[in-house]
Amino acid sequence: MSRDKYKKQPPIFFRLQPIAKIQILSAFLTNQTLLREKTMRKAGPRKEGNYTNPCLTMHQPWASLLVYGIKRIEGRSWPAPIRGRLWIHAASKVPDESTIKAMEDFYREIYALNGITDIKFPEHYPISRLLGCVEVVGCLTCEELVQWEALPEGVRLEGQTDFCWLCEQPKKLLVPFEMRGYQRVYNLEKKIYEAAVRGLVPVDGPAPVKFPLPNLRDPFSLKPGSIVASFSNSKASAIEKSSSLSAAIAGARAAATQFSKDQNIRTNAILNSAPDSTSTETRTIFIEDDRIPDGNLKEGSMEANSASKQSDYVEEEGSSSRNQPPTRPEQDSGAPSKIFAAALRGLKPS
């Protein structure tokens, strides 16, 4: 009997036809790409120093108002993880005319408190575009911002969320770049950054604000709790609100909370319609950037505040939307190896 029969055969992968090898490698690389996208989408604020070209996706009209220097406070339910340049990307949801009007009326009213009546609002509010950047110089809680009498009254009224990101030096792109956004703060691709940084032009806002740092040598010195001592023994003067200002604030609050409410409704619908209601496994899918929560204003009720906080994390559990291409199931951490093994079992050696 020949010994050749007992010779150790090479692994099955190396005995496959070339086309089969290509198919397997293609499936493996595709799933590696899906995993990277999943990691980018689910990643929350990273530790200080982990960002190279940080970017934030925002709904319109808030994105353009920030880049045009009209909006000086970006409100979030979590503190700013970066200092310095922050790129601003507009999400894919087309803003309603009523939303645009509500926000423009709001800024007209708060600027009027400081005697500014001539505000040039953007002529257009483009979507799915990289618009420009701002400099994030600090982050305070809403309570601190309201009591900081060194700031104009209009600025103190801008932030009404848990955390207020203080923004200066807006710059816009002469030609906004089309791109897709992600959840929370993420890094721009290198090729997009290199092209965008050459197309920036400074913007003269209606009333630029300079936020003083407690420690000029520490860019993170203007943080929650850093200026409490300066007004701990005195109460900030109350801002008198006219009927028109109160109405503008109410309209802006309603505009800012619409996304959180819609998002929770869509999420509940998906979770309730799952085929296997007894399964405890959360079904995650890719999300479009038109549901990324943002805005400075929140409802006065605890219910609305809770909805605003939940909206930061709802995309990790699952969501759906109108005007969205078919979603693709995300793979778990073992997906590449499972697909690789299944492909091998289904193919015969040449």
Side-chain angles (χ1 to χ4, degrees):
M1 185 178 293
S2 174
R3 291 186 177 182
D4 293 342
K5 183 178 180 180
Y6 298 99
K7 286 184 178 179
K8 186 176 180 181
Q9 296 293 325
I12 188 173
F13 178 80
F14 296 100
R15 291 183 282 145
L16 297 175
Q17 296 178 0
I19 186 64
K21 294 179 181 179
I22 293 175
Q23 290 173 344
I24 293 174
L25 291 175
S26 177
F28 180 81
L29 293 175
T30 299
N31 280 273
Q32 290 287 3
T33 301
L34 293 178
L35 285 174
R36 283 195 296 270
E37 290 187 9
K38 175 181 177 181
T39 301
M40 290 183 67
R41 287 187 177 277
K42 295 188 68 174
R46 310 174 193 179
K47 295 181 180 179
E48 299 170 12
N50 284 359
Y51 294 99
T52 52
N53 304 304
C55 183
L56 181 68
T57 294
M58 301 171 58
H59 284 300
Q60 289 286 30
W62 293 272
S64 287
L65 292 174
L66 187 61
V67 169
Y68 274 70
I70 299 171
K71 186 176 190 287
R72 297 154 295 187
I73 305 294
E74 168 55 16
R76 294 278 154 172
S77 61
W78 35 282
I82 60 101
R83 295 294 186 274
R85 177 176 289 172
L86 175 67
W87 292 92
I88 303 301
H89 171 260
S92 63
K93 181 177 176 61
V94 178
D96 298 331
E97 289 297 326
S98 58
T99 299
I100 294 174
K101 183 179 184 303
M103 295 312 303
E104 290 184 351
D105 288 346
F106 169 72
Y107 280 101
R108 286 191 186 96
E109 290 293 335
I110 65 172
Y111 272 96
L113 290 174
N114 303 115
I116 299 173
T117 56
D118 183 18
I119 305 175
K120 292 184 179 180
F121 290 101
E123 296 181 1
H124 306 286
Y125 292 93
I127 59 171
S128 299
R129 295 292 191 276
L130 183 67
L131 302 180
C133 63
V134 294
E135 294 287 323
V136 178
V137 299
C139 178
L140 297 176
T141 64
C142 175
E143 292 75 14
E144 290 176 292
L145 185 68
V146 170
Q147 296 184 68
W148 199 2
E149 290 188 311
L151 300 179
E153 293 177 332
V155 178
R156 290 158 55 191
L157 282 176
E158 275 195 61
Q160 298 190 29
T161 50
D162 294 338
F163 295 97
C164 303
W165 301 14
L166 315 181
C167 303
E168 297 179 354
Q169 304 176 43
K171 296 180 181 179
K172 66 178 181 179
L173 286 170
L174 290 174
V175 180
F177 289 5
E178 182 175 3
M179 60 170 276
R180 185 177 185 178
Y182 294 90
Q183 186 181 2
R184 292 206 169 199
V185 179
Y186 55 93
N187 282 322
L188 280 183
E189 294 181 20
K190 183 178 180 181
K191 61 181 180 180
I192 294 179
Y193 166 76
E194 291 176 346
V197 75
R198 295 193 294 267
L200 288 174
V201 292
V203 174
D204 294 327
V209 177
K210 189 69 175 178
F211 300 95
L213 295 178
N215 182 358
L216 296 177
R217 297 182 178 181
D218 181 7
F220 277 84
S221 61
L222 191 53
K223 57 187 178 182
S226 61
I227 62 172
V228 173
S230 62
F231 47 72
S232 58
N233 296 326
S234 62
K235 293 184 178 181
S237 58
I239 300 175
E240 294 184 5
K241 299 178 183 178
S242 63
S243 58
S244 59
L245 176 58
S246 298
I249 293 175
R253 284 176 175 171
T257 56
Q258 62 180 298
F259 304 106
S260 299
K261 293 177 181 178
D262 292 346
Q263 191 176 22
N264 287 337
I265 292 173
R266 286 193 292 265
T267 303
N268 291 334
I270 277 202
L271 295 179
N272 292 335
S273 63
D276 182 9
S277 59
T278 60
S279 174
T280 58
E281 181 180 358
T282 302
R283 305 178 68 195
T284 57
I285 59 177
F286 281 105
I287 52 96
E288 279 295 318
D289 53 16
D290 61 355
R291 291 180 309 286
I292 296 177
D294 59 28
N296 288 357
L297 302 161
K298 64 181 179 182
E299 297 283 355
S301 65
M302 292 297 292
E303 179 182 357
N305 188 30
S306 175
S308 176
K309 291 182 179 179
Q310 291 175 2
S311 66
D312 287 330
Y313 306 95
V314 71
E315 292 167 353
E316 297 181 12
E317 297 178 354
S319 59
S320 65
S321 173
R322 299 181 298 273
N323 304 324
Q324 176 178 328
T327 54
R328 298 170 294 176
E330 291 192 41
Q331 307 294 330
D332 58 25
S333 59
S337 59
K338 291 178 182 178
I339 289 183
F340 190 87
L344 284 175
R345 288 195 299 269
L347 294 171
K348 297 180 180 180
S350 57

